[in-house]
Amino acid sequence: MHRQHLFFTLAIGLVCFVGQVALAADAAPKVTGFQPAANDWPWWRGPNNNGIAAADQDPPVTWSETENVVWKTPIAGRGHSSATVVGDQVFVTTAEEDRELLAVICLERKTGAVRWRTDVHTGGMDKKGNKKTSQASSTVACDGERLYVNFLNHGSVVTTALDRQGKQVWQTKVADFATHQGFGSSPALFGSLVYVTADSKTGGAVAALSREKGEIVWQQLRPEKANYASPIVLRVAGKEQLLVSGCDLASGFHPVTGSKFWEIEGATTECVTTMVTDGERVFVSGGYPRKHVQAIVADGTGKTAWQNNVQVYVPSMIAHDGYLYATQDGGVASCWKSDTGEEMWKERLGGTFSGSLTLVGDKLYTTNESGTTFVFKANPKQFEKLAENMLTGEAFATPTICGSQIFLRVAEFKDGKRQEMVYCIGKK
């Protein structure tokens, strides 16, 4: 059955390939029918899929509970998804475990007022996993017309499309899923497709779904191993590649057909970070059972350019101007030369980190699990801290930076009760 299934999906992928315009050699990753505005952050890792905001943005460097807060809005339930911002809307996911509700919430970008809420799943919530995990850790992707979101429900990874008013358009089961630490893979968009990974100890898949109707266009089966990384489409070695790490593999797929450009034994079993690139190499990192950062030449040769034993397990890295910046889970910031791996500097920030780095201009932003955001220069010569900003509480999401504003998700604790908040930080 597996062999027949693979032949079937390959045939569909080839038909899809014939029916689409070939990927131009000099084209940047694009989503059919959608061009993100300069002030948008439409999906996980931002408009260019690399965690880098538009260079002309000018968000605050300093803030507090009262300084430079444009608005803050309480959110029911718990979630670690980052804010997705398109036009005048802000989208986050949440899980109410006591009511077994998995939902998408839309906020008014200007005021933070709740515009609508859609309960995507009722019942069937999987409450197992690491104590840090949430059942709403997947960040929404938006193509300007629809939203795409992943949830784990009734033992399966399910992708749902909503319109901009919160009405369900389609819903597709991608794969069965056996919970180990949890599930948090975010969807990626390219061309006319949405990509989903579902890796678990009972097997899984990398799947490409039609954005229009939700049917599975192609899929590649995965090893029976736990893993948490999100797929990403980046331009590497002169072509767009769908990149996936973990399950003791690092892989580059043709984003339209699903055929493998290359695959090597690399990374480690359990990865959370999303791959980044300097254009020639891709960078993977993991935390179990091996702690490492690895640079792979992504031209099909399967060559490892360099690697080290630094633990960058959860926070995704930034590749910028020939250097690789990372925040280790244990609270140390590092900078390496991207072609050789030479360590330029490392500096202890403090705290434990789950949120990823975000770059705007020459400034890097990263938030630890206690709600403190560190701002430092993307300077390979030395570590240069610019600010340390505290919003007392608990934070696992990555800062979203667009329109010269920062959208942060922080949980406050008052009278023994946990209350999630979405903050809009901006100059006033």
Side-chain angles (χ1 to χ4, degrees):
M1 291 297 293
H2 283 178
R3 181 177 297 176
Q4 291 175 340
H5 186 65
L6 287 172
F7 284 147
F8 177 71
T9 53
L10 178 59
I12 291 177
L14 290 173
V15 170
C16 177
F17 174 70
V18 171
Q20 296 191 32
V21 177
L23 301 179
D26 59 349
K30 293 180 180 178
V31 176
T32 301
F34 177 59
Q35 179 60 46
N39 289 335
D40 289 346
W41 191 271
W43 44 66
W44 171 241
R45 301 316 280 152
N48 296 309
N49 294 353
N50 57 7
I52 301 176
D56 61 352
Q57 304 294 302
D58 186 28
V61 173
T62 62
W63 62 87
S64 68
E65 299 280 357
T66 55
E67 176 194 5
N68 286 331
V69 176
V70 179
W71 52 258
K72 70 174 185 177
T73 299
I75 297 294
R78 184 169 183 255
H80 299 338
S81 63
S82 299
T84 296
V85 184
V86 177
D88 61 355
Q89 294 175 301
V90 179
F91 307 103
V92 294
T93 61
T94 192
E96 293 187 53
E97 292 196 7
D98 56 340
R99 302 169 64 198
E100 294 203 14
L101 297 177
L102 297 169
V104 175
I105 296 174
C106 174
L107 306 178
E108 178 68 41
R109 183 174 186 169
K110 185 176 180 180
T111 66
V114 176
R115 183 179 287 186
W116 54 257
R117 166 185 169 137
T118 296
D119 292 336
V120 178
H121 298 285
T122 302
M125 182 178 289
D126 189 330
K127 299 180 182 180
K128 300 186 293 293
N130 189 292
K131 65 180 181 179
K132 288 186 180 181
T133 193
S134 84
Q135 307 306 320
S137 295
S138 175
T139 295
V140 172
C142 177
D143 63 6
E145 181 180 351
R146 294 176 179 173
L147 315 177
Y148 306 89
V149 63
N150 299 334
F151 284 115
L152 174 60
N153 188 249
H154 286 289
S156 300
V157 173
V158 179
T159 301
T160 303
L162 307 175
D163 65 20
R164 294 281 294 274
Q165 290 72 47
K167 181 181 178 181
Q168 182 175 306
V169 179
W170 53 256
Q171 189 170 83
T172 300
K173 173 184 171 179
V174 176
D176 293 331
F177 189 90
T179 300
H180 178 50
Q181 303 280 9
F183 173 78
S185 175
S186 298
L189 304 182
F190 177 78
S192 62
L193 302 175
V194 53
Y195 303 94
V196 180
T197 52
D199 292 331
S200 76
K201 290 186 175 182
T202 55
V206 179
L209 285 65
S210 162
R211 283 165 43 209
E212 181 180 358
K213 296 183 179 180
E215 73 266 19
I216 295 178
V217 175
W218 63 257
Q219 67 175 346
Q220 288 275 3
L221 301 181
R222 297 279 284 170
E224 295 180 355
K225 298 180 180 182
N227 185 45
Y228 319 102
S230 299
I232 200 81
V233 177
L234 294 171
R235 186 168 180 79
V236 193
K239 57 191 175 187
E240 277 71 35
Q241 302 190 34
L242 176 68
L243 302 168
V244 182
S245 62
C247 297
D248 298 317
L249 298 170
S251 311
F253 300 94
H254 192 301
V256 176
T257 68
S259 60
K260 291 179 184 176
F261 286 134
W262 56 272
E263 186 170 76
I264 68 170
E265 292 184 3
T268 188
T269 306
E270 296 183 19
C271 298
V272 181
T273 62
T274 301
M275 284 199 210
V276 294
T277 184
D278 64 1
E280 297 181 25
R281 290 154 286 269
V282 294
F283 303 95
V284 301
S285 62
Y288 182 83
R290 188 161 67 98
K291 303 174 183 178
H292 81 304
V293 176
Q294 181 177 0
I296 301 168
V297 181
D299 60 1
T301 61
K303 178 183 177 182
T304 294
W306 57 266
Q307 59 183 313
N308 59 37
N309 61 356
V310 176
Q311 185 183 33
V312 184
Y313 188 6
V314 181
S316 295
M317 303 178 286
I318 293 283
H320 177 64
D321 285 350
Y323 295 91
L324 183 65
Y325 298 90
T327 304
Q328 300 174 37
D329 301 59
V332 175
S334 300
C335 175
W336 301 284
K337 205 167 184 294
S338 68
D339 57 352
T340 66
E342 175 188 358
E343 183 179 88
M344 307 306 296
W345 51 257
K346 64 179 179 181
E347 186 75 20
R348 178 164 293 282
L349 300 177
T352 301
F353 286 77
S354 288
S356 299
L357 283 168
T358 305
L359 174 68
V360 55
D362 63 349
K363 301 177 184 66
L364 288 158
Y365 291 71
T366 184
T367 304
N368 69 18
E369 292 179 5
S370 298
T372 298
T373 302
F374 298 85
V375 186
F376 58 94
K377 281 287 189 72
N379 179 1
K381 295 181 180 179
Q382 62 181 10
F383 175 79
E384 185 180 351
K385 186 169 76 171
L386 301 176
E388 186 173 328
N389 307 295
M390 178 177 288
L391 295 175
T392 303
E394 181 180 77
F396 293 90
T398 297
T400 292
I401 301 178
C402 56
S404 295
Q405 294 177 324
I406 306 166
F407 298 86
L408 288 171
R409 189 168 186 164
V410 179
E412 300 177 350
F413 293 88
K414 293 183 178 179
D415 301 323
K417 294 183 178 180
R418 185 182 191 278
Q419 176 62 66
E420 293 230 342
M421 292 287 184
V422 177
Y423 279 82
C424 177
I425 306 295
K427 295 179 179 178
K428 299 181 68 174

